[in-house]
Amino acid sequence: MQFCSLSLTCGETMCIKMIFLTVFIFILSLFAQQGKTVTDADGNIYNTVKLGNLIWTVENWRSTKFSDGTPIPYVTSDMKWDKRSERKKASFCYYKNDTTNGSKYGALYNWFAVNSGKFAPEGWRVPTDADWAKLEAYLIVNGYNWDDSDDSNKIGKSLAAKTGWETNNKTGTIGNSLQENNSSGFSALPGGYHDYNIFSWAMFSYIGGIGYWWSATENPDMNYQAFCRTLYAGLDAFYKNSESKGYGFSVRIVQDSYYDPPTK
């Protein structure tokens, strides 16, 4: 048996070594990103998940402070909430002003807190409407629809957590067979919302049934509204809505998977 010998120059050998090293570093970075955490100004630590080329927190934000350490005004009065929103002032609260709801479902923020320019830590951001659209597209084309289709939006179950949702018996919905939820690892919890209307019958609504998450993107056709994403216990899709900036919704933050923190 004869073997063909392969002779490489010093430069070619070095090139091959560099290729293997680059691939090795890339693989290590993927593992590192899957286990990445982010810490808010209160010291709360959030786990993350990488979906496509974006890294998302897997818990609703619950910080009482902006990223620079200044407090986000905690507003428990419905009238004061509406007045501050009318004046485009940042506010946050917990569902029914119960801090135990904040521990599980996170805090609720109006859009003026989200759009403060100092909501997320360095290198992170409140997702734009485009970020949410990328997440939706990634899940649909990669088999996360509950019925394995890839031509429509049926990704609700893949995003929703296995607990915390109202149950029902409608096939494919988030509330049906909770143990089949969360294949994406996003762990969405339904924190409900704080209304923006002093004459509303209920200033807090739908915890356990609906989750709303702000985007950082204003609606260009209605400048008093911004885009958000919504999950419903009784439905199977991930919905894009436009709502008044005065509402109190949940927030996730996101980072590009190729982000490198600045060297100090």
Side-chain angles (χ1 to χ4, degrees):
M1 182 181 294
Q2 292 184 337
F3 295 93
C4 179
S5 61
L6 180 62
S7 178
L8 298 175
T9 66
C10 181
E12 289 170 334
T13 301
M14 183 61 70
C15 182
I16 292 172
K17 287 181 178 179
M18 289 300 297
I19 291 172
F20 276 107
L21 180 60
T22 301
V23 171
F24 179 70
I25 292 173
F26 176 73
I27 293 172
L28 283 181
S29 70
L30 291 180
F31 280 108
Q33 288 168 356
Q34 291 291 1
K36 178 177 281 192
T37 60
V38 57
T39 304
D40 68 25
D42 286 327
N44 299 308
I45 299 172
Y46 302 80
N47 293 315
T48 65
V49 65
K50 182 177 180 293
L51 295 166
N53 64 355
L54 295 173
I55 299 173
W56 297 82
T57 52
V58 298
E59 303 161 67
N60 293 339
W61 205 246
R62 55 186 183 274
S63 182
T64 65
K65 300 173 184 175
F66 290 113
S67 60
D68 64 358
T70 57
I72 305 172
Y74 177 40
V75 180
T76 58
S77 162
D78 295 338
M79 182 177 291
K80 187 175 180 181
W81 180 279
D82 285 351
K83 293 297 184 183
R84 288 187 60 82
S85 291
E86 286 173 12
R87 300 197 304 270
K88 301 181 180 181
K89 300 292 187 181
S91 301
F92 93 95
C93 65
Y94 303 110
Y95 191 89
K96 291 193 172 179
N97 300 316
D98 185 343
T99 57
T100 60
N101 285 326
S103 298
K104 179 175 182 179
Y105 293 98
L108 301 173
Y109 303 87
N110 69 9
W111 192 80
F112 305 107
V114 167
N115 194 48
S116 62
K118 52 184 180 180
F119 190 87
E122 183 180 18
W124 296 82
R125 63 180 179 273
V126 176
T128 63
D129 184 54
D131 289 328
W132 285 117
K134 286 180 183 178
L135 174 63
E136 177 184 325
Y138 172 82
L139 294 176
I140 291 172
V141 302
N142 284 280
Y144 285 89
N145 278 343
W146 69 267
D147 62 355
D148 296 323
S149 62
D150 60 5
D151 58 352
S152 59
N153 177 347
K154 299 178 183 179
I155 57 176
K157 289 186 73 64
S158 74
L159 289 164
K162 294 176 181 288
T163 61
W165 289 89
E166 296 171 357
T167 58
N168 64 68
N169 58 6
K170 186 178 178 182
T171 301
T173 63
I174 289 171
N176 180 249
S177 301
L178 293 184
Q179 72 277 7
E180 297 176 4
N181 288 358
N182 205 32
S183 58
S184 71
F186 191 80
S187 303
L189 282 170
Y193 70 93
H194 188 295
D195 206 346
Y196 170 53
N197 179 356
I198 196 169
F199 302 107
S200 174
W201 287 105
M203 293 306 295
F204 293 96
S205 299
Y206 299 117
I207 195 170
I210 306 177
Y212 298 84
W213 292 268
W214 277 124
S215 83
T217 306
E218 292 180 277
N219 184 336
D221 299 317
M222 290 178 281
N223 61 12
Y224 61 92
Q225 293 190 351
F227 294 118
C228 63
R229 290 301 192 278
T230 313
L231 290 172
Y232 302 88
L235 298 173
D236 66 353
F238 190 37
Y239 295 89
K240 174 180 176 178
N241 293 317
S242 179
E243 300 291 355
S244 169
K245 297 172 182 177
Y247 279 103
F249 289 161
S250 301
V251 178
R252 294 292 180 95
I253 64 169
V254 68
Q255 180 186 80
D256 296 312
S257 63
Y258 47 80
Y259 172 78
D260 288 319
T263 302
K264 295 184 178 180

